[in-house]
Amino acid sequence: MSKSLPPAVTPADTWSPRLALLVAATFFMEFLDGTVLTTAIPSIAADFSVPSADVSITMTAYLLTVAMGIPLSGWLAERFGARRVFCLAIATFTVASLLCALSQDLTMLTLSRVLQGAGGAMMVPVGTLVVLRGTAKKDLLRATAYLVWPGLLAPVLAPLVGGALTTFLSWHWIFLINLPLGLAAFLAALRLVPSTRGDRTRRLDWRGLALTTLGVGSVVVGLELAGGRESGLAAISITAGLLFLVTAAWWMRRARSPLFDLGVFSARTFRATATGGFIYRLTISAVPFLLPLMFQNGFGWDPLRAGVLVAAVFVGNIGIKPATTPLIRRFGFKPVLVFASLASAATFALCALLDAGTPEPLIFALLVASGAFRSIGFSAYASVQYADVVPARLPSANAVSATLVQLATAAGIAIGALLIRAYEASGPLLGGAGAASGDPVAPYRAAFLALAVLMLLSTLDSLTLPRHAGADVSRPGPAPAAAPRRRPQA
């Protein structure tokens, strides 16, 4: 079972907005580097004299390493101390970024990306754990407000950042820009992250780690293959991965010192991250993937015009942020989650009605609204999942949540690609595919409608939450008093 927090660490006296902002900044670097290479692939391929398709291995290797490394990060933080591991993660990520920039061939770049992913795998969950351990429930909404913005902004900004650096400088600057940022983050971490003693007696559950790592890795590989055209191999890999994960769960229920304390799932608010929360993150992850494709392949726009419109999602994310916490405090988690998922589903359905003749201000306004609803739901799930988790189970809850986020992101991109291909392959069954019907936007319309239906499954799950789910976090303070008894008449 997970060990308790060291006596010196108490949630009430270590909450620090500056620390949360530092962790969020490192998360942004990690999330951004996961997808920023997309626009630089042609330039890298030209420099290395390899086909563009071959360069995609650098993105797959990075994302796979991050996903497979997360399960180990929780044990490392418990064994050696969160501060030490977090600083090591920043240093590893920064050095690996330099090696990526210095790479002379595809092999060196891929290996450097693996090292970069190892650093990112530790930064994501360990950084969050550092913040959560120092945050009382009454401050959890504020803390998660700092932590969620990287996951919202990075996928939207990545094409713009990658395109600008590659166009005006070179693809090497995608990695070189991490050097001053990483150095600043490392120095700030030494100053801001509380020092805690590691538990030298904590043993590693090797069997649980092997099963979990194989499971996560197989699922991510399968999702990557599903995003291409290897449907048979994808199905085999995903099935094998799920079997590994089921076996891992069976083992950890019986192990003396399991890799994860699966008792975290006894809390309904945490289970929401693996049910409705997983579906929610999956669908919103598919949108930044589908929009640029629809604008370029469907509408015939150039990349810059498409990028400017996609940036509207970023505007919505940022614009609603100051109102997210007040909304949750005013209405509670359940109504906010139901509203966010319903509103998101509506915006997806409206995206299916767009065409090249739709006025750009109208498209921009729709995407701003979609980004706002996306931000509200993302923030609510990030906060409610820890509302009923006891401190001793935080490391397990944090690592499980980080793993599910990675899987949902990979699944969103794969589902988006699958929906497009499925429509194109179905042809007459769905009224004609894009090429056959003469409407290149048709596959994207079908994809957005499917995402709207999928998002409604998240709504159904949110409706099953208890009425006052996460009330200790959304409305901190004394519990409502029972109605006073009537005094007996004399």
Side-chain angles (χ1 to χ4, degrees):
M1 298 293 289
S2 298
K3 300 292 183 182
S4 300
L5 294 177
V9 179
T10 57
D13 56 19
T14 56
W15 154 246
S16 167
R18 289 189 300 168
L19 174 59
L21 189 60
L22 164 66
V23 173
T26 61
F27 288 2
F28 185 76
M29 286 196 303
E30 189 272 322
F31 289 143
L32 190 68
D33 274 50
T35 53
V36 73
L37 274 189
T38 304
T39 51
I41 283 179
S43 297
I44 297 173
D47 278 3
F48 292 162
S49 300
V50 297
S52 294
D54 292 356
V55 182
S56 63
I57 185 64
T58 61
M59 294 181 61
T60 302
Y62 177 84
L63 295 173
L64 185 61
T65 306
V66 170
M68 294 178 68
I70 287 174
L72 180 61
S73 63
W75 177 84
L76 288 172
E78 291 289 282
R79 179 70 172 77
F80 299 104
R83 180 192 184 192
R84 184 177 300 174
V85 175
F86 185 58
C87 290
L88 175 63
I90 297 174
T92 301
F93 188 88
T94 305
V95 171
S97 296
L98 175 61
L99 294 176
C100 287
L102 297 177
S103 297
Q104 299 298 309
D105 55 44
L106 186 59
T107 300
M108 182 178 177
L109 179 59
T110 302
L111 293 175
S112 300
R113 288 282 281 174
V114 169
L115 182 62
Q116 195 183 36
M122 291 186 288
M123 282 200 302
V124 173
V126 176
T128 303
L129 181 61
V130 168
V131 174
L132 292 178
R133 277 185 164 175
T135 304
K137 285 189 176 182
K138 64 183 180 65
D139 296 316
L140 189 58
L141 270 177
R142 286 198 299 157
T144 52
Y146 282 85
L147 296 177
V148 299
W149 64 265
L152 289 167
L153 304 189
V156 179
L157 290 182
L160 293 175
V161 172
L165 291 175
T166 303
T167 301
F168 298 109
L169 296 170
S170 73
W171 64 265
H172 304 82
W173 283 92
I174 290 175
F175 303 108
L176 290 175
I177 198 173
N178 288 332
L179 302 186
L181 297 176
L183 178 60
F186 182 81
L187 296 175
L190 291 176
R191 180 178 179 181
L192 295 176
V193 178
S195 179
T196 57
R197 296 185 304 273
D199 181 3
R200 298 288 180 175
T201 64
R202 184 167 176 79
R203 300 174 60 186
L204 179 60
D205 176 15
W206 289 101
R207 189 173 300 179
L209 175 64
L211 290 169
T212 303
T213 302
L214 285 172
V216 171
S218 298
V219 170
V220 171
V221 168
L223 291 171
E224 287 287 320
L225 292 173
R229 296 188 179 274
E230 301 290 342
S231 55
L233 289 176
I236 293 173
S237 185
I238 292 174
T239 302
L242 293 176
L243 289 175
F244 278 127
L245 291 176
V246 169
T247 306
W250 174 85
W251 164 256
M252 283 186 275
R253 289 285 188 186
R254 290 155 178 78
R256 286 187 177 182
S257 300
L259 182 68
F260 299 140
D261 181 357
L262 297 183
V264 294
F265 285 104
S266 62
R268 176 64 181 90
T269 47
F270 184 79
R271 287 202 308 276
T273 195
T275 51
F278 187 87
I279 297 172
Y280 189 90
R281 290 185 176 103
L282 183 157
T283 52
I284 66 173
S285 296
V287 173
F289 168 78
L290 289 173
L291 283 174
L293 292 178
M294 183 173 73
F295 291 154
Q296 294 179 69
N297 299 338
F299 293 5
W301 291 356
D302 60 74
L304 179 60
R305 187 179 180 187
V308 170
L309 265 295
V310 174
V313 179
F314 158 79
V315 174
N317 288 338
I318 290 296
I320 198 64
K321 213 80 197 83
T324 301
T325 296
L327 282 172
I328 295 173
R329 292 205 186 281
R330 172 66 179 84
F331 298 103
F333 283 109
K334 181 177 179 177
V336 167
L337 288 172
V338 171
F339 167 76
S341 56
L342 282 175
S344 294
T347 61
F348 297 162
L350 290 174
C351 284
L353 302 179
L354 300 177
D355 57 37
T358 306
E360 289 186 21
L362 188 59
I363 298 176
F364 193 89
L366 173 61
L367 297 186
V368 167
S370 182
F373 301 141
R374 180 175 183 259
S375 181
I376 292 171
F378 198 96
S379 299
Y381 273 117
S383 301
V384 76
Q385 64 185 354
Y386 298 115
D388 300 314
V389 175
V390 297
R393 286 176 169 167
L394 267 180
S396 294
N398 183 51
V400 170
S401 173
T403 302
L404 290 172
V405 168
Q406 287 292 326
L407 292 177
T409 302
I413 295 172
I415 292 296
L418 280 173
L419 289 172
I420 295 173
R421 291 211 329 269
Y423 184 88
E424 291 175 339
S426 63
L429 294 178
L430 293 177
S437 65
D439 183 5
V441 187
Y444 303 98
R445 289 199 181 106
F448 275 109
L449 287 175
L451 288 181
V453 174
L454 194 59
M455 180 60 84
L456 293 178
L457 296 179
S458 174
T459 306
L460 292 177
D461 182 76
S462 296
L463 287 171
T464 67
L465 284 170
R467 181 181 176 186
H468 298 295
D472 289 345
V473 173
S474 62
R475 302 175 186 179
R485 298 179 182 177
R486 293 180 60 87
R487 292 184 179 180
Q489 298 293 327

